[in-house]
Amino acid sequence: MKNNNELMSAAKEALNGKWGIAVLAYIVIILINIPIQLVAETSQFSIIISLILGGPLTLGIAIFHLKIIRNQTPTIEDLFEGFRNIQTPVLTYLLMIAHIILWTLLFIIPGIIIAISYALTFYILADKPELQPMEALNESKRIMHGHKLQFFEIIIRIIALALLSVLTLGIGLLFLVPYSKVLIAKFYEEVKNQS
């Protein structure tokens, strides 16, 4: 399996010629989240809305970024693919959040471990939409076995880059977020091929 430096280089290479659409996709996600945040300030239903939209949007983001690393042509419409069969991504998202919260209530470390174990769930659903929610979560746990530390190191690198992007008054995030999503998609592809 490629090490993290190789994965980071591969992510940059995959984005060659696709930075524009990747940044645009991130802006679209921000624009979708603005009304949700406005509702959050005025309504107690904001958490429910966020939970319902979170799964399909997360699936759409996974589909979009998998197309980038597979040298396909991603479109903004890909971001909304998760709404085609809304039940599966919504239930998957709810189960994932519930498991992470329950494990975090025990101690923070088990919560982090389970969150990392489930990190590839929506990439798996993008490839295997026929899976049931628990099957997708279990498959993520299975293929992450032995790879959690490497993924944790990737997250630490992304956090470090995010802190550096503060120096650019946040403009760097326009490039960091798409890059980090492509990097995780590359990680998924490597882990999937290993398993």
Side-chain angles (χ1 to χ4, degrees):
M1 175 154 168
K2 291 179 180 174
N3 64 39
N4 287 346
N5 289 333
E6 291 170 324
L7 288 172
M8 292 175 85
S9 295
K12 285 180 196 167
E13 188 178 317
L15 278 161
N16 282 339
K18 295 181 179 148
W19 277 106
I21 188 75
V23 170
L24 179 61
Y26 177 52
I27 291 170
V28 168
I29 294 298
I30 290 172
L31 293 175
I32 290 169
N33 281 318
I34 288 172
I36 294 170
Q37 295 305 316
L38 291 175
V39 169
E41 294 175 10
T42 60
S43 169
Q44 65 271 27
F45 298 112
S46 62
I47 293 173
I48 296 169
I49 293 167
S50 295
L51 289 174
I52 290 171
L53 295 179
L57 285 174
T58 304
L59 179 56
I61 290 167
I63 290 167
F64 180 89
H65 291 96
L66 284 174
K67 281 192 171 184
I68 288 177
I69 66 159
R70 292 173 178 166
N71 207 21
Q72 298 169 351
T73 305
T75 64
I76 297 301
E77 290 78 22
D78 292 328
L79 297 173
F80 304 100
E81 281 293 310
F83 290 95
R84 285 185 185 266
N85 177 16
I86 194 168
Q87 181 180 346
T88 301
V90 168
L91 290 174
T92 304
Y93 194 73
L94 291 173
L95 281 170
M96 185 171 74
I97 297 295
H99 284 193
I100 292 169
I101 289 170
L102 289 173
W103 280 97
T104 304
L105 289 175
L106 290 174
F107 288 106
I108 291 174
I109 301 297
I112 293 170
I113 292 170
I114 202 73
I116 290 171
S117 295
Y118 289 158
L120 303 180
T121 300
F122 284 92
Y123 294 93
I124 291 165
L125 268 184
D127 279 342
K128 299 178 180 178
E130 72 279 1
L131 290 180
Q132 295 299 311
M134 274 314 298
E135 291 174 327
L137 291 167
N138 288 334
E139 179 65 6
S140 182
K141 275 173 58 176
R142 185 187 72 77
I143 68 172
M144 282 295 276
H145 183 74
H147 301 286
K148 289 190 272 297
L149 182 59
Q150 184 178 0
F151 186 82
F152 182 73
E153 290 170 1
I154 286 173
I155 297 304
I156 295 299
R157 288 182 184 205
I158 291 170
I159 290 169
L161 290 171
L163 292 174
L164 284 175
S165 73
V166 170
L167 300 175
T168 67
L169 302 176
I171 294 169
L173 288 174
L174 285 175
F175 299 93
L176 176 60
V177 173
Y179 169 72
S180 64
K181 298 294 184 186
V182 170
L183 177 56
I184 293 169
K186 273 285 184 191
F187 178 84
Y188 162 71
E189 202 79 334
E190 282 291 312
V191 169
K192 182 185 76 168
N193 290 339
Q194 288 292 311
S195 65

